[in-house]
């Protein structure tokens, strides 16, 4: 296995959980970051699902690319597959991304499986707020996940108007 890149668009950006040798901002075209995955475990339950981020078709997404050294490759891939593919709602894909230095590389990306039962297409801002406002799972309340994501995006100077509006309109207890 050679060195490779991983694209992060949500919590992977600030909590990758794996060793890497380089990190830089990156852009993925053809997919957008959105709350399009019903969470049955971490931020909701099957009876009262929450919403978490996925890469859905269309648009583009700013994120972070991590370069992984070949000698860590097997461990990193095992970790990522355990983290991202636990319910198989994401598909592991190699996608072309553009790095901040304008170079283009192939990177592992975890995109929403549009045929999976947890896939939640075309959620409106109002519906996202309604779902997120009350959902809670093993990892905590859904509002915390959304607001923490937006806070981290803002810290990294990454704009996501749709997600920011959802977070700004949530009522935090």
């Amino acid at each position: 296995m050679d060195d490779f890149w991983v694209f992060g668009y949500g919590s992977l950006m600030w909590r990758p959980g794996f060793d890497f040798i380089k990190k830089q901002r990156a852009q993925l075209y053809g997919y957008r970051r959105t709350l399009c995955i019903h969470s049955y475990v971490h931020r909701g339950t099957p009876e009262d699902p929450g919403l978490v981020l996925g890469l859905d078709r269309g648009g583009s997404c700013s994120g972070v690319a991590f370069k992984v050294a070949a000698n860590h490759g097997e461990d990193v891939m095992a970790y990522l597959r355990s983290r991202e593919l636990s319910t198989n709602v994401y598909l592991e894909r190699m996608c072309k991304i553009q790095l901040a230095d304008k170079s283009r590389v192939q990177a592992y990306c975890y995109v929403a499986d549009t045929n999976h039962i947890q896939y939640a297409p075309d959620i409106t801002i109002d519906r996202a707020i309604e779902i997120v406002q009350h959902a809670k799972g093993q990892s905590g309340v859904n509002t915390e996940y959304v607001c923490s994501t937006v806070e981290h995006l803002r810290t990294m100077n990454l704009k996501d108007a749709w997600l920011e509006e959802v977070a700004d309109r949530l009522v935090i207890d």
Side-chain angles (χ1 to χ4, degrees), residues 145-173:
Y145 169 83
V146 171
C147 292
S148 178
T149 298
V150 168
E151 179 182 320
H152 281 93
L153 289 172
R154 287 176 175 157
T155 299
M156 299 170 74
N157 291 317
L158 292 174
K159 302 293 182 201
D160 189 318
W162 190 92
L163 193 59
E164 288 177 23
E165 184 170 347
V166 171
D168 291 345
R169 290 177 50 196
L170 289 169
V171 176
I172 308 302
D173 296 330

